[in-house]
């Protein structure tokens, strides 16, 4: 396979460039595709969803269990009684449509650690909601035994629904010596270690069963002649349905696929070259990212601070009494991005303020934690690491720096602008134009202006 990365030929700023070795010019073709894609995308429906703007799409407790409960609950604020619960039971199948007496239905959420439980006082339908959380030891068995013991329910009056994104059933760890077996009537049941039935069992999937239930409810609402009174419910069901489509991989595609351009763009005879080039970019991209990071942390920072050399000077972490951050070296950039190297966090560089009102009282820091890149200010006392008490009156918003977890656990009192490095690295070449570069310039400019004006009150520094 031809490589399109030329690491031996860096550009003038030390950042390697990419060149195409294909006859149909891979990169030019891709840039043309990108322009067509951007033009096309502007005409497509947007992807905004009110629910996922507030909660993660896979949040099974705060999102999915709560939403499903709110609609199954006949006493819910939707004021539709058991209408949505009835559609849920119909979705489970004709043999279960009337299994519960819906006129006596009560629904519970997170009671005795059971995600959802529907009961008419005699029968119990337990829903174990499993999106990404691992099975707990004896979880399924414990829930069934609780209903048997505390509610005195018979095995034939208990049904456990295992709800997932895919098709997986409870693990052996969750069943705890129980098993799932056919009951001879086309249904499944939970049996103990002696083969005795303990409860009925049914698997449900978000991508098929929940979507069917939501569509049934939406259809019922669409047939209602309510004069718009239920429009909020129609909207809510539509928003949640789109969330379920997203987590189950059934979102309707509204974007052009890069795959289509690679396979179909340009001369069909050169398709294999486009595929080879795309694969080569993927294989080599981590090396490019490592070079960009190395340049940003070394030459990039040094060039940016050169004009302020009389105000800040580079120092080693140990010179400041810092033992929690190791001085950044070029191999650390490779270690962060390489798929074969383990990353050891907390690598950085330090510049002590040496002139003006803040001499020996502040240090400029750029460092990498576990996954985030931070740029900011560290308080000092007589040129050494302090107890972190400083900058009471600093307008942090103006400098775009704030407290981060690294401030409490690694560098006491450190205020920084932090972003995930994987996200930031794509905008860090050239470094001086990146967000991090702009923050560095803003911070040092502020320090120089404060020193020049002889006014340290604005910072509210403690001695």
């Amino acid at each position: 396979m031809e490589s399109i990365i030329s690491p031996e030929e860096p550009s003038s700023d030390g950042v390697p460039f990419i060149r195409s070795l294909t006859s149909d010019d891979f990169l030019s073709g891709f840039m043309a595709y990108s322009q067509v894609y951007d033009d096309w995308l502007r005409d497509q429906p947007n992807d905004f969803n009110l629910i996922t703007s507030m909660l993660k799409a896979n949040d099974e407790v705060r999102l999915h269990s709560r939403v499903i409960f709110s609609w199954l609950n006949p006493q819910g604020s939707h004021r539709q009684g058991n209408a949505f619960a009835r559609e849920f039971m119909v979705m489970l199948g004709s043999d279960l449509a009337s299994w519960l007496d819906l006129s006596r239905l009560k629904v519970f959420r997170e009671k005795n650690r059971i995600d959802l439980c529907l009961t008419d006082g005699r029968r119990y339908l337990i829903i174990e909601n499993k999106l990404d959380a691992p099975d707990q030891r004896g979880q399924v068995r414990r829930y069934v035994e609780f209903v048997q013991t505390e509610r005195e329910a018979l095995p034939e009056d208990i049904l456990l629904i295992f709800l997932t994104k895919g098709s997986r059933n409870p693990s052996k760890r969750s069943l705890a010596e129980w098993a799932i077996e056919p009951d001879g009537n086309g249904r499944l049941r939970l049996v103990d270690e002696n083969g005795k039935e303990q409860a009925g069992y049914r698997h449900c999937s978000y991508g098929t069963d929940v979507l069917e239930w939501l569509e049934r409810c939406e259809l019922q609402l669409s047939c209602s002649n309510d004069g718009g009174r239920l429009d909020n419910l129609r909207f809510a069901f539509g928003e949640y349905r789109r969330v379920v489509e997203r987590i189950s991989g059934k979102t309707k595609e509204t974007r052009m696929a890069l795959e289509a351009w690679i396979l179909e763009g340009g001369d069909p005879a050169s398709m294999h070259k486009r595929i080879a080039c795309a694969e080569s970019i993927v294989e080599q991209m981590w090396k490019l990212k490592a070079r960009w990071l190395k340049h940003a942390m070394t030459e990039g920072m040094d060039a940016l601070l050169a004009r302020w050399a009389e105000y800040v000077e580079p120092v080693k972490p140990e010179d400041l009494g810092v033992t929690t951050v190791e001085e950044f070296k070029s191999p650390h950039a490779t270690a962060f991005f390489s798929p074969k190297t383990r990353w050891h966090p907390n690598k950085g560089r330090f510049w002590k303020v040496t002139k003006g009102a803040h001499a020996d009282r502040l240090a400029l820091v750029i460092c990498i934690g576990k996954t985030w890149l931070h740029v900011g200010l560290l308080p000092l006392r007589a040129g050494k690491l302090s107890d972190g008490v400083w900058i009471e009156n600093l307008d942090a918003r103006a400098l775009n720096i704030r407290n981060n977890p690294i401030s409490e656990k690694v560098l006491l009192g450190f205020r920084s602008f932090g972003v995930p490095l994987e996200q930031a690295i794509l905008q860090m070449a050239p470094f001086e134009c990146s967000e991090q570069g702009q923050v560095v310039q803003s911070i040092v400019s502020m320090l120089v202006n404060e020193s020049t004006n002889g006014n340290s009150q604005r910072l509210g520094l403690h001695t």
Side-chain angles (χ1 to χ4, degrees):
M1 179 186 299
E2 295 177 297
S3 172
I4 65 165
I5 306 297
S6 181
E8 292 77 27
E9 301 179 60
S11 62
S12 59
D13 62 358
V15 180
F17 66 91
I18 302 175
R19 59 187 176 88
S20 172
L21 300 179
T22 60
S23 58
D24 57 330
D25 195 351
F26 179 89
L27 293 180
S28 296
F30 177 68
M31 294 304 292
Y33 153 80
S34 296
Q35 184 59 54
V36 173
Y37 167 79
D38 290 341
D39 294 341
W40 177 86
L41 188 60
R42 280 192 290 270
D43 297 328
Q44 303 308 304
N46 64 73
D47 295 323
F48 177 80
N49 185 279
L50 182 61
I51 296 175
T52 55
S53 70
M54 297 179 288
L55 295 169
K56 292 182 179 180
N58 285 301
D59 192 329
E60 66 184 44
V61 176
R62 293 186 300 168
L63 197 167
H64 296 281
S65 289
R66 285 183 177 180
V67 170
I68 294 173
F69 166 77
S70 70
W71 284 325
L72 290 178
N73 182 13
Q75 286 80 42
S77 58
H78 51 69
R79 298 181 183 175
Q80 302 304 299
N82 58 30
F84 303 139
R86 185 185 309 113
E87 296 298 339
F88 184 85
M89 298 304 295
V90 170
M91 175 273 293
L92 293 178
S94 57
D95 58 324
L96 292 173
S98 58
W99 191 72
L100 289 173
D101 181 354
L102 296 182
S103 67
R104 304 179 61 188
L105 178 66
K106 291 186 178 180
V107 183
F108 301 96
R109 181 178 69 86
E110 294 295 334
K111 188 170 183 179
N112 300 297
R113 298 188 178 181
I114 298 175
D115 291 336
L116 295 166
C117 182
L118 288 68
T119 180
D120 58 8
R122 181 170 74 90
R123 288 177 167 168
Y124 294 82
L125 190 152
I126 301 169
I127 301 177
E128 175 56 20
N129 191 12
K130 282 293 181 187
L131 284 171
D132 296 321
D135 290 355
Q136 298 177 25
R137 185 181 300 277
Q139 191 172 29
V140 165
R141 176 171 178 167
R142 185 169 62 251
Y143 295 161
V144 172
E145 288 180 338
F146 171 81
V147 173
Q148 290 175 340
T149 304
E150 299 298 324
R151 300 294 180 261
E152 299 182 352
L154 299 174
E156 59 266 27
D157 292 331
I158 304 172
L159 175 65
L160 185 129
I161 302 291
F162 198 71
L163 177 59
T164 71
K165 287 190 290 187
S167 58
R168 77 177 183 94
N169 288 306
S171 64
K172 291 182 178 180
R173 173 185 174 87
S174 181
L175 291 171
E177 299 183 356
W178 284 12
I180 301 171
E181 293 184 354
D183 67 355
N185 297 312
R187 295 186 292 267
L188 295 174
R189 61 180 183 170
L190 292 171
V191 299
D192 62 19
E193 50 267 44
N194 298 316
K196 184 179 179 180
E197 181 177 350
Q198 298 297 321
Y201 174 80
R202 182 72 59 90
H203 174 270
C204 284
S205 166
Y206 275 95
T208 53
D209 304 298
V210 172
L211 279 180
E212 179 187 339
W213 171 53
L214 296 174
E215 289 166 0
R216 284 180 173 276
C217 294
E218 287 185 280
L219 179 61
Q220 183 183 103
L221 290 170
S222 68
C223 297
S224 173
N225 185 17
D226 58 274
R229 183 174 57 86
L230 301 180
D231 283 351
N232 62 325
L233 294 182
R234 297 184 184 97
F235 172 79
F237 270 101
E239 286 290 270
Y240 183 60
R241 173 173 45 79
R242 283 183 280 275
V243 175
V244 174
E245 288 173 344
R246 182 183 302 181
I247 66 171
S248 55
K250 295 184 179 293
T251 304
K252 295 179 180 178
E253 189 59 58
T254 61
R255 299 178 177 177
M256 290 178 63
L258 174 59
E259 175 188 6
W261 177 77
I262 292 175
L263 297 179
E264 302 170 12
D267 180 8
S270 64
M271 179 179 68
H272 71 283
K273 290 186 176 181
R274 291 195 298 276
I275 295 174
C277 284
E279 185 175 0
S280 182
I281 288 178
V282 172
E283 291 177 349
Q284 300 293 327
M285 196 63 196
W286 74 265
K287 295 181 181 178
L288 281 175
K289 292 178 178 179
R291 284 186 176 236
W292 291 334
L293 178 59
K294 171 184 173 294
H295 172 75
M297 297 287 288
T298 55
E299 296 102 319
M301 282 292 293
D302 290 340
L304 203 60
L305 296 175
R307 62 186 171 124
W308 292 302
E310 62 179 305
Y311 289 94
V312 293
E313 69 174 14
V315 294
K316 296 181 180 298
E318 53 267 31
D319 294 337
L320 303 177
V322 174
T323 59
T324 53
V325 176
E326 181 182 349
E327 185 176 19
F328 176 86
K329 303 293 184 183
S330 296
H332 293 149
T334 299
F336 185 90
F337 288 107
S338 173
K340 298 181 180 180
T341 306
R342 181 180 179 184
W343 166 247
H344 298 280
N346 304 329
K347 306 293 188 290
R349 294 188 67 196
F350 297 76
W351 289 260
K352 184 169 66 173
V353 177
T354 57
K355 182 178 179 181
H358 314 306
D360 289 333
R361 303 170 75 184
L362 286 173
L364 176 69
V365 183
I366 180 170
C367 72
I368 310 165
K370 289 183 179 179
T371 58
W372 282 48
L373 176 67
H374 296 269
V375 177
L377 288 171
L378 179 69
L380 304 176
R381 189 185 301 275
K384 298 291 183 179
L385 188 65
S386 74
D387 55 7
V389 180
W390 72 305
I391 311 187
E392 286 184 342
N393 302 318
L394 173 65
D395 184 359
R397 292 174 297 178
L399 293 176
N400 202 18
I401 60 174
R402 61 182 180 83
N403 279 325
N404 282 290
I406 197 171
S407 308
E408 302 173 359
K409 300 178 180 179
V410 181
L411 291 172
L412 191 62
F414 182 45
R415 308 285 176 91
S416 71
F417 169 74
V419 291
L421 182 50
E422 278 285 1
Q423 170 188 322
I425 194 64
L426 300 178
Q427 284 80 42
M428 286 178 64
F431 178 70
E432 61 271 16
C433 297
S434 67
E435 285 187 289
Q436 289 71 27
Q438 295 297 314
V439 171
V440 169
Q441 294 178 72
S442 297
I443 289 175
V444 180
S445 294
M446 180 274 295
L447 293 175
V448 171
N449 289 337
E450 291 286 343
S451 298
T452 301
N453 296 333
N455 178 15
S456 63
Q457 295 304 310
R458 178 183 165 198
L459 281 177
L461 290 172
H462 292 272
T463 57

